[in-house]
Amino acid sequence: MSDVAVCPNCGAKNRLGTPPPGQVPVCGRCAGPLPWLLSATDATFDTEVRASVPVLVDFWAAWCGPCRVVAPVLEELAREHAGRLKVVKLDVDHNPAVSGRYEVRSIPTLMLFREGRPAETWVGALPRGTLNARLAPYLG
Ligand SMILES: [Zn+2]
């Protein structure tokens, strides 16, 4: 999977690799923090939700209209909180094991993970301001 992040500081395109444990992805040109947003699968989910920063998981599906409303909001949040937040997208249609394990019944569902475990669950397409307010206590 080749997830690409555009550096908010210098505009360089970076391929999002896996940073060393305890670190966040940084720009290869200017070393600033990159927006950390990628797609996970049933196979990679457990690894992706373990990070040094809070991880916001977006349970979504291609046919879900409200999910399309949330997607650009999450991209903005990843940019705004680069270095402090990771966003992981999970397509529930193609990854039934994870969505079943966390009992996702309605989408979009946003789940905030810390240390690999869910801390908060928010159902529905929340506006950016609301999401930011709910994330604030976790972003330090
Ligand atoms: Zn840069």
Side-chain angles (χ1 to χ4, degrees):
M1 193 166 307
S2 60
D3 288 287
V4 171
V6 176
C7 175
N9 184 42
C10 75
K13 281 187 184 160
N14 289 261
R15 192 200 303 236
L16 271 180
T18 304
Q23 295 183 30
V24 299
V26 294
C27 176
R29 188 194 287 171
C30 74
L34 291 172
W36 200 359
L37 185 150
L38 50 78
S39 295
T41 65
D42 277 347
T44 64
F45 187 81
D46 288 348
T47 304
E48 296 297 356
V49 294
R50 256 180 247 118
S52 56
V53 294
V55 180
L56 185 62
V57 178
D58 174 24
F59 293 92
W60 71 283
W63 48 264
C64 158
C67 296
R68 283 193 287 274
V69 176
V70 167
V73 172
L74 294 179
E75 286 172 23
E76 288 170 19
L77 289 176
R79 262 199 308 277
E80 184 177 346
H81 302 299
R84 296 190 296 160
L85 178 71
K86 179 179 183 179
V87 179
V88 169
K89 298 174 68 71
L90 188 97
D91 181 335
V92 298
D93 281 345
H94 294 109
N95 302 282
V98 167
S99 38
R101 195 194 324 158
Y102 293 102
E103 300 180 340
V104 175
R105 306 195 194 291
S106 151
I107 52 173
T109 287
L110 300 174
M111 219 174 268
L112 186 71
F113 282 70
R114 296 182 79 194
E115 324 268 327
R117 281 192 294 272
E120 300 273 3
T121 302
W122 304 312
V123 178
L126 299 177
R128 180 179 174 180
T130 307
L131 262 178
N132 248 336
R134 293 188 181 183
L135 282 172
Y138 294 95
L139 297 179

